[in-house]
Amino acid sequence: MSVERVYLFDTTLRDGAQTTGVDFSLEDKRAIAALLDKLGIDYVEGGYPGANPLDTAFFSEKRTKNAKFTAFGMTKRAGRSVSNDPGVSALLEAEADAICFVAKSWDYHVHVALETTLEENLAGIHDSVEAARAKGREVIVDCEHFFDGYKANPDYALSCARTAYEAGARWVVLCDTNGGTLPHEVMEIVRAVTKVVPGAHVGIHAHDDCGCAVANSLAAIEAGARHIQGTLNGLGERCGNANLITLIGALKLKDGYASRFELGVTDEALGGLTHVSRQVDEILNRQPNRHAPFVGASAFATKAGIHASAVLKDPRTYEHVEPEVVGNVRKVLVSDQGGQSNILAELKRCGFDLEKGNPRIARVLDEVKRKEAQGFAFEGADASFYVLVKRMLGEVPAFFDVERFSVNVERRYNAMGELVTASEAIVKVRVGDEILISAAEGNGPVNALDVALRKDLGKYQNLIQDLELVDYKVRIYQGGSDAVTRVLIEFTDATGERWTTIGVSANIIDASFQALTDSMIYKLLKGGATL
């Protein structure tokens, strides 16, 4: 049986940005694009250049190495030429490999939303695709509201798809924009489309308003489509988009798909699926869905009882796939075997070469469990995990010792009569036999502490001189009067490497200080510092 290629298109950074409570920073977008690129996604849609300063800045340079970096925007407006449309011009000027045009394919929307004729809408699709092709861009056309449009006027919906394809679009994507279409309808309509546009050029963009986005995407594949659009963890407006994490698991691991279709996601990358899913949540400061298929913390969890007994005898009794293949872990309360496997995988991923059965693995596992009980989460803080393991292996020299620090926050009126808040930090550090005391002001207590800590580290100062704090996130791990605060800090240096550390405490300053010192120790370890 011949194996066919299915292409994955991620719209987390565009459609996912419409999720309630999700706001991407430029650094968030950069980090997620890198995750997608490494995972093996074929197309990474970065946003809508020209629509807002953030997306315009993001498209000032290409953000992927392997995936096709894709810009999103509308086809030309009615009554304008392509050359006189600022939206199309912004797309053509963007540093992108591909352009994804959104086009109306429901006659009702053409008349009401665009207030133009059906013929003018078709001309807009044709001219926009031709213009992008002339600029050397691969073109994708998202036929918005296609399934509703097909039900209302199948001839016109099909003419939109045909026009896009004949103008040179690589992919004609059928969008279930309102998310109300069911799998049997998707199969029927996609089959009808493939009689007009070859399936090797047809895609699906499903929303999850009926809880069927993943099922609808798989139904489209069965009906002949070979391109799936979705988001990491199902992010998206209203109820979200098709969850690419779940779709990757299904297409790579389930009978009937794995043998028939090939993805850009390798088996090795599949092993990092859980890590990718949880790291995205950490970047966005969201609590991961414990019950998410394949990657949730409870996806392979079994409580004690007859299920646990059966799983211990043979995991296949209650598991549809092996958790390790997606980087997850089996959780059976009477056994920690799965936990050791997970730790072993994490150690390997972070560059530690410890063989299975090494007693130090169990000690690391116990320490990680102890830390997690306190509120630590190492999925999004690889540098802290690296430092933790290095300490347990006795491979962290006593570079420096912070004997004390203090932070003062004062609210006062300045000489101009303006009410301002000033922060000042003092840090006392011992480096070998040398005592160093540094003071610094900052635009907040954490900034002041960061500046003071890195102001003078004696003989190690030259190694940390290029450190730059690029992101800072806070999450309340436990509520109530005894709330525990989790702080994640991302650093970079002159080499371009980025790493994240974590601190946990009832005191936000103390939690921040833990993360700051871990970052400096990580930098010194990677820089080859010695006593």
Side-chain angles (χ1 to χ4, degrees):
M1 179 185 295
S2 61
V3 177
E4 295 185 74
R5 184 73 154 82
V6 170
Y7 295 84
L8 301 179
F9 180 109
D10 181 272
T11 180
T12 300
L13 301 179
R14 199 272 304 173
D15 222 342
Q18 300 183 56
T19 308
T20 303
V22 168
D23 293 293
F24 294 114
S25 67
L26 188 61
E27 292 304 321
D28 292 339
K29 285 203 164 200
R30 181 210 58 76
I32 292 173
L35 283 174
L36 291 165
D37 202 23
K38 186 176 180 180
L39 181 60
I41 300 300
D42 299 292
Y43 298 84
V44 173
E45 188 177 63
Y48 198 151
N52 58 72
L54 176 64
D55 283 0
T56 300
F58 192 54
F59 278 94
S60 63
E61 60 182 274
K62 185 179 176 181
R63 304 290 179 170
T64 58
K65 294 180 180 179
N66 303 307
K68 293 182 180 179
F69 192 43
T70 306
F72 173 89
M74 294 177 62
T75 54
K76 82 170 187 70
R77 299 176 187 177
R80 289 177 179 257
S81 65
V82 168
S83 60
N84 194 35
D85 189 299
V88 175
S89 295
L91 292 173
L92 298 179
E93 293 168 6
E95 289 295 325
D97 303 301
I99 292 175
C100 181
F101 287 109
V102 60
K104 300 293 185 184
S105 57
W106 185 359
D107 58 354
Y108 167 74
H109 267 260
V110 174
H111 293 309
V112 175
L114 297 183
E115 296 182 330
T116 189
T117 65
L118 301 183
E119 293 75 17
E120 177 66 24
N121 182 55
L122 292 175
I125 295 172
H126 179 276
D127 293 351
S128 299
V129 173
E130 272 202 341
R133 289 274 295 162
K135 287 288 186 178
R137 302 306 206 287
E138 182 173 321
V139 183
I140 301 150
V141 175
D142 278 6
C143 293
E144 190 181 29
H145 294 285
F146 185 87
F147 292 94
D148 292 317
Y150 184 91
K151 294 173 191 176
N153 185 340
D155 290 339
Y156 186 71
L158 289 172
S159 69
C160 291
R162 182 189 297 108
T163 298
Y165 174 64
E166 291 179 349
R170 169 66 181 90
W171 295 107
V172 178
V173 181
L174 316 180
C175 302
D176 185 26
T177 310
N178 289 350
T181 310
L182 298 176
H184 71 280
E185 297 175 299
V186 168
M187 289 194 72
E188 178 183 342
I189 294 172
V190 171
R191 282 174 179 154
V193 173
T194 58
K195 295 176 181 178
V196 174
V197 177
H201 293 271
V202 174
I204 176 78
H205 178 111
H207 282 255
D208 206 32
D209 298 73
C210 284
C212 293
V214 168
N216 283 344
S217 300
L218 294 174
I221 294 296
E222 288 291 344
R226 293 296 177 261
H227 170 110
I228 301 177
Q229 294 191 1
T231 59
L232 295 176
N233 297 337
L235 293 172
E237 63 180 334
R238 302 187 311 274
C239 303
N241 287 39
N243 189 336
L244 278 185
I245 296 289
T246 305
L247 282 163
I248 290 169
L251 290 169
K252 289 285 292 182
L253 298 173
K254 304 310 295 182
D255 292 341
Y257 293 112
S259 60
R260 293 164 53 203
F261 302 113
E262 181 183 15
L263 304 180
V265 179
T266 65
D267 292 345
E268 182 180 4
L270 181 67
L273 198 64
T274 298
H275 176 76
V276 169
S277 172
R278 296 180 188 177
Q279 191 163 355
V280 168
D281 283 325
E282 287 290 355
I283 289 171
L284 297 179
N285 209 18
R286 289 161 55 96
Q287 189 67 31
N289 177 7
R290 296 186 60 86
H291 305 286
F294 296 104
V295 298
S298 298
F300 299 95
T302 306
K303 288 187 176 182
I306 58 172
H307 288 193
S309 175
V311 167
L312 287 172
K313 293 174 182 175
D314 187 343
R316 291 178 298 174
T317 54
Y318 286 96
E319 292 177 357
H320 66 114
V321 298
E322 295 179 356
E324 292 82 4
V325 298
V326 292
N328 209 339
V329 55
R330 179 176 303 116
K331 292 184 179 179
V332 180
L333 298 183
V334 295
S335 171
D336 65 354
Q337 182 60 44
Q340 287 199 26
S341 297
N342 193 47
I343 287 294
L344 191 62
E346 283 294 295
L347 289 170
K348 183 178 180 181
R349 192 175 61 80
C350 292
F352 294 99
D353 187 18
L354 294 178
E355 296 297 327
K356 190 173 183 179
N358 190 315
R360 290 182 293 182
I361 295 174
R363 292 199 293 271
V364 171
L365 174 61
D366 290 341
E367 181 63 11
V368 168
K369 286 183 176 180
R370 187 182 72 82
K371 288 281 192 180
E372 288 182 343
Q374 296 173 358
F376 285 82
F378 294 104
E379 285 293 339
D382 282 352
S384 281
F385 180 75
Y386 180 87
V387 172
L388 171 70
V389 176
K390 280 284 192 180
R391 281 198 181 106
M392 296 194 68
L393 297 178
E395 297 176 4
V396 177
F399 296 122
F400 62 90
D401 180 43
V402 179
E403 295 195 349
R404 68 176 179 87
F405 72 83
S406 64
V407 180
N408 180 55
V409 179
E410 180 183 9
R411 196 180 190 200
R412 63 173 185 265
Y413 287 96
N414 63 16
M416 304 293 292
E418 300 167 330
L419 188 61
V420 296
T421 301
S423 299
E424 182 185 63
I426 300 173
V427 178
K428 181 180 180 181
V429 180
R430 179 184 293 275
V431 180
D433 296 329
E434 187 179 14
I435 296 293
L436 303 166
I437 300 177
S438 300
E441 292 184 337
N443 57 14
V446 176
N447 177 242
L449 187 59
D450 175 37
V451 174
L453 182 60
R454 294 193 279 131
K455 197 170 188 179
D456 187 1
L457 209 60
K459 65 180 182 179
Y460 301 118
Q461 186 62 26
N462 65 318
L463 292 175
I464 65 166
Q465 201 66 43
D466 61 339
L467 274 178
E468 180 185 354
L469 193 158
V470 293
D471 202 7
Y472 176 87
K473 288 187 173 70
V474 178
R475 177 183 295 163
I476 302 302
Y477 174 64
Q478 293 174 344
S481 59
D482 60 343
V484 174
T485 301
R486 178 190 293 167
V487 169
L488 286 165
I489 297 180
E490 184 179 8
F491 271 92
T492 188
D493 61 15
T495 69
E497 182 186 359
R498 291 171 181 263
W499 62 90
T500 303
T501 52
I502 187 172
V504 173
S505 173
N507 185 305
I508 189 173
I509 302 300
D510 185 49
S512 302
F513 188 74
Q514 293 173 31
L516 287 171
T517 54
D518 263 12
S519 288
M520 293 176 63
I521 292 171
Y522 178 84
K523 169 68 173 175
L524 293 174
L525 286 170
K526 289 294 188 176
T530 58
L531 291 179

